[in-house]
Amino acid sequence: MTVSEREAREVAEEAREKDWRKPSFAKELFLGRFRLDLIHPHPEPAAEDKQRGEEFLARLKDFCETEIDSALIEREARIPDRVVNGLKEIGALGMKVGTEYGGLGLTQVYYNKALAMVSSANPAVGALLSAHQSIGVPQPLKLFGTQEQKETFLPRCARTDISAFLLTEPDVGSDPARLATTAVPDGDDYVLDGVKLWTTNGVVADLLVVMARVPRSEGHRGGITAFVVEGGAEGVTVENRNAFMGLRGLENGVTRFHQVRVPAAHRIGGEGAGLKIALTTLNTGRLSLPATCVGAGKWCLKIAREWGAARVQWGRPVAEHEAVGAKMSFIAATTFALEAVLDLSSQMADEERNDIRIEAALAKLFGSEMAWLMADELVQIRGGRGFETAESLAARGERAVPAEQVLRDLRINRIFEGSTEIMHLLIAREAVDAHLSVAGDLIDPEKSLGEKRKAALAAGGFYARWLPKLVAGPGQLPRTYAEFGELSAHLRYVERTSRKLARSTFYAMSRWQGRMETKQGFLSRIVDIGAELFAMSAACVRAEKLRRDGTSGKAAHQLAHAFCEQSKVRIEELFGRLWTNTDDVDRKVVRGLLDGAYTWLEEGVVDPSKDGPWIAEAEPGPSKKENVHRPVR
């Protein structure tokens, strides 16, 4: 499909949740308002939820230690059926499914703790469980399904059936306006035709959530729509099981639909609601990725600590050399902060008192970027052994530490469920929502003079009240947040810096107006600053909670302090790059690249790539390939 930039933007904007019915700590942070009361005291799970969660974690830990052989999965590039069936037996498929439908009914907090644990045993197993429950059939049905749909599908998802989520297509990634898979109404059914790419769990899935475009017609609103489809239905063909640099046990494939009949009763929500369903599902679904990142961070910390003490160079353990010690400090402090972000966001999701769409997106962005850096630092700390495979290390008689595998496995998290670049834009859109709400018509070139005058009056009133509040605040008073002890200085920094962040956003809106959306470098830095401030806040609140609980309080304060000091360095660098950067130069170079001005620079190498189209053809029609669908039984 050919879709203009404006049309694509309109489709994405229409799918956004535009109302803010509940408070949002992160949204307020971007507006220069540090609402500590929204996150402190740290929210706590109910005693019953905690007991149920801890009991399951104990069973899951035993299962992971005795049944999951990560080296075997890496070697054979497949999760054994016995492992999947074992997960079914202990109820892991139904962690997020309510007890009334045969599930465990775990909270988001304990679901994420479970994902962190199982992902540390093997990330591909964690990905299977996450794709099934975070974005597969259970979550959209929980939020948007009819009672009949819940009673039909949720018991299956809780115990026996694996589900998958199918949105991406060979020529459609983060631009759903070009979605080509169709669902044509035919009596009481819809007829699906199209091809889906990167269908995580799709190779083994029994149930699929499929996004398809319903043509507009009499009696049909049309638009992108969500359906539950049986994986073994006639006309569904898994044409390929994809292979990747990491997550080698991932059951991810290409799925073709040819004249697949789906009952209208299996449509989730109304016609045209599919993209909104997908985005709403991801609001909490995105928290599964930082959960796996927390698991990776904890493992990296354990290995770095043990290796740093055991490896001796120049008469001292390598941990005592400052260059290595700084990397270990980064891993420890960042793991603490990332777990703080995850636990805080998850508990807020469970309590449903706050709107956490920005918090979850920040957790995904921050977690995926930081976990990759932590794994990279671990490989560096391990030196040549970090680059060597666990299998090779074992063959030489050394401990089989899969550091290079963790690095490969974590790389996809910067792409999964919204790439870092897309997450920057998504969060930035929400961060500037207040400005666009009052000044959007003022900077829109297509609006009339009358509409602009009206917008100018509204904007004038908003900014007259808002801007003065950005000049001074409690962060400038030396005794503010004193109950946090030495961490109070960091919270005062967050308060002052959130106002500075809001002022910077306003200056940019004033300077670029309608061109603001093209300044992706600037917007990305704004979002990264917000992510750091959120992580600092979460780390301080968690450290104070642990101190008050009497559990590792002193150590937690040390880790929070270290993280905040490291975070401040990154924040100040980001602020400097808001206005002093190479964005303009980079754009000129990119134009030269596209115009072929630098092709001479590519001479002198041999391209090992094989011939073929950049994007495979995905024309609808019957499959010409063998069906590699492999349901686990």
Side-chain angles (χ1 to χ4, degrees):
M1 293 180 64
T2 301
V3 177
S4 70
E5 182 179 355
R6 184 175 185 84
E7 289 173 323
R9 207 161 46 235
E10 288 174 350
V11 168
E13 187 65 20
E14 183 181 355
R16 275 186 64 244
E17 286 185 80
K18 298 178 178 61
D19 297 328
W20 293 87
R21 292 178 293 273
K22 299 176 183 178
S24 164
F25 173 80
K27 179 175 182 287
E28 295 292 301
L29 200 63
F30 280 108
L31 286 170
R33 299 191 286 250
F34 182 47
R35 290 286 308 278
L36 184 61
D37 61 294
L38 293 177
I39 61 172
H40 174 70
H42 194 292
E44 296 275 6
E48 181 183 347
D49 292 335
K50 185 174 182 179
Q51 180 180 350
R52 183 165 60 246
E54 292 293 342
E55 289 174 353
F56 176 71
L57 288 181
R59 296 198 303 273
L60 182 64
K61 183 177 182 181
D62 180 67
F63 180 87
C64 289
E65 291 176 340
T66 59
E67 301 296 331
I68 297 179
D69 185 341
S70 188
L72 176 68
I73 295 172
E74 178 75 359
R75 186 166 58 252
E76 297 187 353
R78 178 163 292 174
I79 302 170
D81 285 359
R82 63 170 180 78
V83 172
V84 179
N85 286 325
L87 291 168
K88 292 179 181 180
E89 289 174 10
I90 66 172
L93 292 189
M95 288 187 284
K96 287 290 292 291
V97 178
T99 54
E100 66 272 31
Y101 301 110
L104 298 180
L106 296 188
T107 62
Q108 187 72 38
V109 169
Y110 277 96
Y111 171 65
N112 285 336
K113 288 181 183 295
L115 286 181
M117 181 182 292
V118 78
S119 295
S120 67
N122 183 268
V125 180
L128 182 143
L129 293 175
S130 172
H132 165 67
Q133 292 170 90
S134 298
I135 57 176
V137 171
Q139 189 67 9
L141 280 192
K142 176 183 175 181
L143 296 174
F144 298 98
T146 65
Q147 188 59 38
E148 181 181 359
Q149 289 171 338
K150 293 175 183 178
E151 292 173 353
T152 299
F153 296 115
L154 289 185
R156 292 170 57 182
C157 291
R159 291 292 177 183
T160 59
D161 289 14
I162 298 171
S163 69
F165 175 78
L166 280 62
L167 171 63
T168 305
E169 298 178 0
D171 199 26
V172 178
S174 298
D175 182 11
R178 300 169 60 244
L179 199 76
T181 298
T182 58
V184 179
D186 184 16
D188 292 332
D189 297 337
Y190 289 85
V191 180
L192 267 62
D193 283 279
V195 179
K196 295 294 185 180
L197 175 63
W198 296 325
T199 60
T200 300
N201 286 1
V203 178
V204 296
D206 305 286
L207 290 172
L208 314 171
V209 175
V210 181
M211 297 293 167
R213 185 182 301 279
V214 177
R216 186 186 297 274
S217 62
E218 185 177 351
H220 291 277
R221 177 181 182 272
I224 298 174
T225 307
F227 299 89
V228 178
V229 181
E230 297 282 353
E234 184 177 353
V236 178
T237 305
V238 179
E239 295 188 333
N240 192 62
R241 181 179 187 266
N242 304 323
F244 304 99
M245 68 180 284
L247 293 182
R248 290 181 175 169
L250 197 68
E251 297 289 355
N252 179 297
V254 177
T255 302
R256 178 179 293 272
F257 300 91
H258 175 61
Q259 297 291 291
V260 179
R261 301 193 74 85
V262 180
H266 290 188
R267 186 188 71 217
I268 307 175
E271 290 183 356
L275 194 53
K276 180 167 287 190
I277 289 172
L279 292 177
T280 304
T281 298
L282 281 172
N283 280 344
T284 53
R286 282 198 178 95
L287 291 174
S288 62
L289 279 183
T292 66
C293 293
V294 166
K298 287 174 175 286
W299 181 82
C300 288
L301 178 60
K302 179 178 185 293
I303 298 301
R305 175 180 56 80
E306 294 175 351
W307 173 251
R311 176 62 165 166
V312 176
Q313 292 282 273
W314 297 295
R316 288 191 295 169
V318 293
E320 295 182 10
H321 293 285
E322 190 172 90
V324 174
K327 298 179 186 300
M328 295 173 64
S329 174
F330 166 74
I331 294 173
T334 305
T335 298
F336 177 82
L338 180 52
E339 186 170 42
V341 166
L342 178 67
D343 282 356
L344 179 61
S345 300
S346 300
Q347 188 59 43
M348 288 195 295
D350 286 329
E351 293 187 345
E352 298 183 345
R353 288 189 297 112
N354 294 346
D355 188 321
I356 67 154
R357 74 184 84 162
I358 300 183
E359 285 84 348
L362 288 173
K364 189 274 178 188
L365 172 67
F366 181 76
S368 58
E369 290 295 318
M370 287 302 183
W372 165 257
L373 290 176
M374 287 191 285
D376 187 55
E377 293 289 40
L378 176 64
V379 168
Q380 192 70 19
I381 290 170
R382 289 272 291 159
R385 290 173 173 82
F387 191 66
E388 191 172 2
T389 67
E391 188 175 27
S392 178
L393 288 165
R396 294 197 295 101
E398 292 192 0
R399 183 173 173 179
V401 178
E404 59 83 30
Q405 179 191 336
V406 169
L407 187 67
R408 288 187 287 102
D409 289 341
L410 283 171
R411 184 61 182 83
I412 188 58
N413 289 343
R414 299 174 65 204
I415 301 171
F416 260 170
E417 295 183 18
S419 69
T420 291
E421 293 72 26
I422 292 299
M423 295 307 298
H424 276 139
L425 297 181
L426 183 151
I427 298 167
R429 173 62 187 85
E430 300 297 346
V432 301
D433 182 61
H435 301 281
L436 294 178
S437 296
V438 298
D441 288 352
L442 189 62
I443 62 178
D444 189 339
E446 296 189 9
K447 295 298 180 181
S448 66
L449 284 176
E451 290 171 315
K452 287 180 180 292
R453 288 193 197 97
K454 185 177 180 181
L457 290 172
F462 171 78
Y463 289 119
R465 295 187 302 273
W466 179 65
L467 286 172
K469 296 178 182 178
L470 302 182
V471 176
Q476 292 167 291
L477 303 176
R479 296 298 299 164
T480 310
Y481 316 121
E483 69 269 28
F484 285 83
E486 66 173 354
L487 299 181
S488 62
H490 299 308
L491 292 177
R492 289 195 294 272
Y493 174 85
V494 173
E495 195 280 333
R496 295 193 306 272
T497 307
S498 70
R499 286 186 282 111
K500 181 179 178 181
L501 181 64
R503 292 195 302 268
S504 298
T505 305
F506 172 73
Y507 296 155
M509 288 282 295
S510 303
R511 177 177 177 179
W512 292 312
Q513 299 185 32
R515 293 184 295 126
M516 180 78 162
E517 65 183 26
T518 69
K519 303 298 180 179
Q520 295 181 4
F522 177 90
L523 292 172
S524 295
R525 295 172 198 119
I526 286 288
V527 168
D528 285 340
I529 293 170
E532 295 281 1
L533 294 176
F534 178 41
M536 286 180 67
S537 305
C540 290
V541 168
R542 181 175 185 234
E544 181 59 14
K545 172 188 178 298
L546 293 177
R547 185 191 69 79
R548 293 188 177 188
D549 291 347
T551 54
S552 306
K554 182 178 179 180
H557 267 243
Q558 289 174 343
L559 289 171
H561 174 66
F563 174 77
C564 289
E565 290 295 331
Q566 294 167 12
S567 182
K568 286 178 184 178
V569 173
R570 294 190 292 266
I571 288 171
E572 294 308 314
E573 180 184 351
L574 286 165
F575 267 118
R577 291 174 55 209
L578 284 181
W579 312 109
T580 304
N581 52 62
T582 62
D583 292 351
D584 291 338
V585 173
D586 294 340
R587 277 191 289 273
K588 292 178 181 177
V589 170
V590 170
R591 177 46 55 196
L593 283 168
L594 296 178
D595 291 342
Y598 313 127
T599 54
W600 51 270
L601 189 58
E602 301 165 9
E603 296 173 3
V605 298
V606 175
D607 183 358
S609 307
K610 302 301 181 184
D611 290 338
W614 286 106
I615 299 171
E617 291 292 332
E619 293 296 323
S623 179
K624 300 176 183 177
K625 296 185 178 182
E626 176 188 356
N627 188 1
V628 297
H629 183 226
R630 186 182 62 83
V632 178
R633 295 288 183 255

